[in-house]
Structures are given as C-alpha cells and as structure tokens.
Amino acid sequence: MSHTSEGPSGPDLTAGISEDSVPNGGSLLGHVGDHPVLVVRQGSELFAIGAKCTHYKGPLNEGLVVGKTVRCPWHHACFDLETGRADPPALDPVARWRIERQNGRVVVREKLPEVQPPNRPYTDPGPMVIVGGGAAGFAAALTLKAEGYRGRITMVSADRDAPYDRPNLSKDYLAGNAPEDWMPLREDQFFPEASIDLILGTTATKVDTRHRRVELSDGRSEGYGALLLAMGAAPVRLRVPGAELPHVHYLRSFDDARAIIAKLSPSARVAVVGASFIGLEVAAALRAREATVHVIAPVARPMENVFGAEVADFVRALHESHGVVFHLERQVASIQPGRLTLSDGATIDADLVIVGIGVTPITALAEETGIVVDRGIHVNEYLETTVPGVFAAGDIARWPDPHTGERIRVEHWVVAERQGQVAARNMLGRGQRFDMVPFFWSQHYDVTINYVGHAEHWDAIERDGRLEDHNCSVMYRKGGRLVAAATIGRDRESLLIERSIAAS
Ligand SMILES: Cc1cc2nc3c(=O)[nH]c(=O)nc-3n(C[C@H](O)[C@H](O)[C@H](O)COP(=O)(O)OP(=O)(O)OC[C@H]3O[C@@H](n4cnc5c(N)ncnc54)[C@H](O)[C@@H]3O)c2cc1C
Ligand code: FES
C-alpha cells in the first residue's frame, strides 16, 4: 500500500479550462495552488473536488464516475460529488471547490466549507449501543453522527485500542513500513468530542432483549433503544501438541501484531501455518523484514478455493520468488520450542509460529440471546436480526445477497464498514437495503489483488491478460453469469465490473 505524495499536475484550474476538455461522465485532473483537484462532468453539471482519496490517497482521476459519485480505483471508496461525503473505506470527505462557468470556460474558485450533517428527522429509538469497535462498529458510530443523531452512543470494544486500520496489521505495519500513527482511524480525543462513549478492553457478556439492556464484563450495564452486534470473528485455534507454547501467535488485533513484532529480528525463523490471505500477507510482510519464512498448509495450492488454480499457482510463484518456502499438502503434527514437526515427520526450525487457519464469527452472545444464528448471525436485507431492534453487521452477519440470491457471510473490511453504515441508518428507521457488491483486496509485495463479487463456486473461469505481467483480469462465471472477478493492475476494470454486477 503506498501513501503517495506527488506534486500537483495538470492545468492551473484557477486560470480556467475549456468546458469541452472535461468529458461527460469523466474527469480532468488539474490543481488549485498545491491541491490536486478533479473537475468532473455529469451531464450539464460540473463539480470540482479533491483528487486524492482520503483513504490512502488513491488517484481519483483514475477512478470511475458513476452517477453523481466518483469511485476510487484502489479500494473502491465512493465520494459524493455534491457533498464530498465518503463511503468506506474512506471515512473523511473530499474537499469541494466552487466553479464558475464563463463563455464555455470553467474556472475553479475558492474552497467550499465542509457540508454539515443534515437536519433530517429520524425515528429515535433511544440510546444506541454498539458492541464491537472494529470496521462495522466504528462505521456505524460515524454514520449515526453523520445522519444527525443527537442521542447517546455507547461503543463497547474488547480491544484495548480505539478503532484502527486492521487490514494494515498484516501489511505495511507488520512489514515495518507504517508508523503507529497511521493506524488509528481517529485520534483519541475524537470520541469524547463526538459524544461517543467508547468503552475499551471490555466485553458485552449478556443481552437482555426484554428490558433492552446489555451487561458488560466490568459489571456495568447499558440500556439501549437499538443495538448493533459487530463483534467480528476470532482466529481458529490450532489444536496440536505444543500449540499453547508462548512462541505460537495469531493475528487479529493490534496487540497481536505488536506481540509478533516484539519477537522479530532480521534473522528470525518464522513458520506460518495456513496459506490463505492472512498467512500469505504475513509471509510477505516478514520477508520485507528479512525473516526466513516457511508456509505450511494442507492444500495443494494456496487460495485455490477463492481464486482457482491458475491464480493460486501465480501467488505461490510470487512468494517463492521472494524466498518463501512452501510445505503444501502437509499439516503441523506438533510444535516444540524452536521447531515444529510436520505430518510426514519432517521438521522446520522456527523461533516464531504464526497461525492463520481461518476465523469463526463470534456469535455466542447472539445465540444465548435467542437470536437465530446459522453459520453467522441471520439478518434480513436491512441487517436486522430475528430480534427487532437488534442489528448485526460485519464478519458475524449472514445476509441475503441480492446479487447471488444466496445468504452469504464474508470477511471483508469494506463490506463490514458499509454494513455498519447501513445498519446505523436502519437503527434510525431509514429502511435502507444492504445491496453492495462485495469487494476485498489483498496485498502481496508489490502486487495487489482486487476482488469484486462473490463466488463460492463457479463453473467457468476466463482470464484476460497475463498474470506474470501483473496486468490481468480473471472472471468467474456461474450458469453463464459473471459473479465475481479478480484483477491485478487493472483497478479501473475492477470498478467497471463492480458496476456491471450491481446493475445485473
Ligand atoms: C490482519 C488482517 C488483515 C486483513 N486484511 C484485509 C484486507 O486486506 N482486505 C479486506 O477486505 N479485509 C481484510 N481483513 C478482514 C477485515 O479486517 C474484517 O473483515 C473486518 O475487520 C471485519 O469487521 P468487523 O467489524 O466485523 O470485525 P472487527 O473489525 O474484527 O471488529 C470486531 C470488534 O469487536 C470486538 N469484540 C469482539 N467480541 C466482543 C464482545 N463480546 N464485546 C465487545 N467487543 C467485542 C473486537 O475486539 C473488535 O474490536 C483483514 C483482517 C485481519 C485480521
Ligand atoms: S485509497 Fe481510495 S479506497 Fe483506498
């Protein structure tokens, strides 16, 4: 992931440009002083907004204009052209500038003030309680504020840290390329200033739906009018002799990442158990720190179940070219200090073992509450559970996906954030359906794989371009219909595919 910081390019927009130079449904990149600014045309309307995405500064001029929004090419954040407002993973609006049109020319004038939350009426159910301070919980809290909710918001999180950039834990942060201050999604003082009561290091232990109260591990209890369950997922534990030794780690939280980093040295010998997203991103990050990395997994090809054989072979070769050693079609039989033994009797020297063998949604609280749970918390299209007034979002929620016609549960950052947004609006009685086309990205060295749609199974795969050139798209079809696509180096195409799946 790169945080770019190039100087301004394109014309000086304060000097004016020809209207015709901005294509309809497209944009033109210029600048106002040092600010890169994008002029966007949609029909007869023109808009001027900041050209850098507020997530990781992705180039919005390489994105896609859809209606009165522009979509970021890197991780599909969406910005409203009229208000500058962001949909995740960006959490902050882009700046807007006033435009003047004179005789077929467009001149960009002064910056406009930030749009304030609307004063739209909402149904006030009473205090809002959010269980979970991750992607979904935090996006929900922000959305309640953005929707103009003025009541009490309590967010309870088992995490010791205020909401942070979890995907970065296995990428730049673990690689040592992201300083600590990149990680929080908001500064600590934001929460009291926004009147969000953030209770950290505390778990919700019981929900009393009759009296609408949530009991907390510190003995307190919080009354709610509407409740959001957003507890995410927990790593599956490895069950072999030695799995409880202190050098065996998992990676879910900021604390987990700090504990791993504290034990790393350039000569560290690391065994990664599991060859899916977390395992392989960890492998890439640790190679950047020059650790020796062995990956052990029972599968024949890494991530073949998600991407198919060809992409899986490419991913394996990519990691091998960076020095990762794979031990596939093998299991860990036991772990000893400084070593682990595989199912075929082979041994690997390892000072550190990092286990990434999947996660399970944290649903016990919901089950004990009598909420229907079926491989995730069962929610309707409004993300409400089977108990009225109780919503669920993120890794724990299984929802009716309109694009596949199936109930699905995914573990994607942007989906969790967008679900948090939609759940929050519905807690205010807005009645918004969740219909996002799922999206995730995964980063391995200088290769980012973007994936839109959802395909647990497919009956045809079509590739365009060459994986080795890091310039290709792979389409997954079921019954002739395009259900998902993975792209490398084709970010705009990923946005176009997302749009076409949304419309189909
Ligand atoms: C290392 C790592 C890298 C990832 N990289 C990517 C990526 O590149 N792209 C992508 O799309 N996705 C990625 N993901 C997945 C993504 O982070 C998750 O899908 C997303 O965080 C889910 O959001 P959530 O709000 O459901 O859960 P979380 O973000 O996990 O938040 C859940 C919160 O609930 C808290 N909690 C749990 N139980 C309780 C309780 N009883 N009471 C109170 N609080 C509780 C937890 O402490 C946590 O704060 C990654 C995940 C990890 C771990
Ligand atoms: S940089 Fe724009 S969505 Fe991430």
Side-chain angles (χ1 to χ4, degrees):
M1 204 64 47
S2 57
H3 289 236
T4 53
S5 57
E6 295 134 30
S9 52
D12 176 0
L13 298 170
T14 60
I17 51 170
S18 150
E19 270 192 29
D20 296 341
S21 59
V22 189
N24 189 15
S27 63
L28 180 137
L29 177 65
H31 64 96
V32 173
D34 284 339
H35 296 283
V37 170
L38 200 63
V39 179
V40 182
R41 180 206 287 273
Q42 192 52 277
S44 60
E45 291 186 272
L46 283 161
F47 306 89
I49 61 163
K52 293 279 179 204
C53 175
T54 57
H55 181 225
Y56 286 167
K57 302 195 170 106
L60 294 182
N61 53 306
E62 294 171 22
L64 188 69
V65 177
V66 180
K68 286 192 187 171
T69 68
V70 62
R71 312 279 166 97
C72 177
W74 285 2
H75 317 109
H76 295 204
C78 174
F79 296 93
D80 185 297
L81 291 169
E82 285 178 327
T83 61
R85 281 214 192 97
D87 276 335
L91 301 173
D92 296 303
V94 279
R96 300 168 305 132
W97 278 262
R98 188 170 70 80
I99 276 188
E100 241 174 52
R101 300 168 86 163
Q102 303 161 346
N103 307 324
R105 289 189 68 74
V106 181
V107 184
V108 175
R109 298 295 190 193
E110 75 282 0
K111 210 186 226 184
L112 294 166
E114 203 173 300
V115 173
Q116 293 307 307
N119 213 355
R120 280 205 293 152
Y122 55 80
T123 311
D124 187 353
M128 302 289 189
V129 174
I130 298 169
V131 182
F138 182 57
L142 287 185
T143 305
L144 289 172
K145 299 304 292 183
E147 291 287 321
Y149 176 70
R150 288 176 299 280
R152 186 173 153 78
I153 303 173
T154 305
M155 188 158 75
V156 189
S157 178
D159 246 304
R160 221 165 43 92
D161 293 278
Y164 51 86
D165 185 354
R166 194 178 305 279
N168 214 335
L169 295 178
S170 53
K171 303 178 180 69
D172 281 342
Y173 184 72
L174 190 61
N177 300 327
E180 290 263 332
D181 63 1
W182 279 11
M183 298 301 285
L185 297 177
R186 282 287 186 275
E187 312 247 310
D188 283 350
Q189 67 268 25
F190 166 81
F191 296 92
E193 280 170 17
S195 308
I196 297 170
D197 190 6
L198 177 61
I199 305 175
L200 294 174
T202 306
T203 53
T205 52
K206 194 175 168 199
V207 180
D208 173 353
T209 51
R210 202 154 78 88
H211 300 101
R212 295 203 167 208
R213 295 202 76 79
V214 181
E215 288 178 18
L216 307 185
S217 54
D218 63 3
R220 274 187 280 178
S221 90
E222 290 284 335
Y224 68 84
L227 172 67
L228 176 64
L229 301 178
M231 290 90 76
V236 173
R237 313 294 293 189
L238 187 65
R239 305 220 179 273
V240 297
E244 302 305 322
L245 285 167
H247 69 301
V248 180
H249 289 254
Y250 295 80
L251 179 55
R252 181 77 192 182
S253 67
F254 209 167
D255 267 348
D256 294 340
R258 291 187 187 110
I260 292 170
I261 290 168
K263 290 193 181 163
L264 282 173
S265 64
S267 56
R269 299 164 307 172
V270 182
V272 174
V273 183
S276 70
F277 293 98
I278 304 274
L280 291 185
E281 288 194 350
V282 164
L286 297 187
R287 285 300 299 138
R289 287 186 183 257
E290 292 175 17
T292 304
V293 180
H294 290 257
V295 173
I296 303 113
V299 294
R301 294 183 161 104
M303 303 196 282
E304 184 180 6
N305 59 331
V306 180
F307 292 127
E310 216 182 7
V311 177
D313 287 342
F314 162 76
V315 169
R316 176 182 176 162
L318 175 68
H319 281 270
E320 284 176 337
S321 73
H322 283 82
V324 173
V325 181
F326 282 90
H327 306 264
L328 298 176
E329 297 181 88
R330 265 167 282 183
Q331 313 255 16
V332 176
S334 63
I335 304 176
Q336 303 84 39
R339 207 162 57 114
L340 53 77
T341 306
L342 304 188
S343 44
D344 61 359
T347 59
I348 296 171
D349 291 335
D351 314 305
L352 195 59
V353 178
I354 303 175
V355 182
I357 54 173
V359 295
T360 43
I362 302 174
T363 54
L365 187 65
E367 269 169 283
E368 287 156 15
T369 306
I371 291 168
V372 171
V373 172
D374 167 24
R375 296 163 296 140
I377 297 178
H378 184 105
V379 292
N380 64 17
E381 64 269 49
Y382 303 102
L383 306 180
E384 195 165 18
T385 69
T386 49
V387 171
V390 181
F391 294 76
D395 284 5
I396 54 170
R398 186 172 286 275
W399 83 97
D401 171 38
H403 308 291
T404 52
E406 294 163 11
R407 285 195 153 270
I408 64 171
R409 188 185 72 75
V410 301
E411 291 147 12
H412 307 346
W413 180 253
V414 185
V415 172
E417 291 184 310
R418 301 262 181 111
Q419 287 193 342
Q421 284 189 310
V422 170
R425 292 189 188 117
N426 292 337
M427 289 159 86
L428 296 171
R430 299 262 193 256
Q432 184 183 349
R433 286 191 160 82
F434 182 75
D435 60 2
M436 173 196 176
V437 177
F439 164 79
F440 73 82
W441 79 98
S442 184
Q443 196 189 335
H444 308 258
Y445 314 98
D446 57 344
V447 173
T448 301
I449 307 176
N450 278 0
Y451 183 99
V452 281
H454 183 77
E456 272 165 40
H457 309 283
W458 55 81
D459 40 45
I461 297 186
E462 287 157 24
R463 178 175 42 74
D464 181 56
R466 281 161 43 92
L467 287 153
E468 310 76 59
D469 296 342
H470 301 178
N471 178 359
C472 82
S473 52
V474 182
M475 312 281 187
Y476 303 86
R477 292 187 188 277
K478 200 173 169 190
R481 249 184 83 223
L482 178 64
V483 286
T487 57
I488 296 173
R490 293 190 178 184
D491 293 343
R492 203 178 137 81
E493 191 173 333
S494 174
L495 286 167
L496 287 164
I497 297 166
E498 179 182 70
R499 188 178 64 178
S500 95
I501 296 177
S504 66

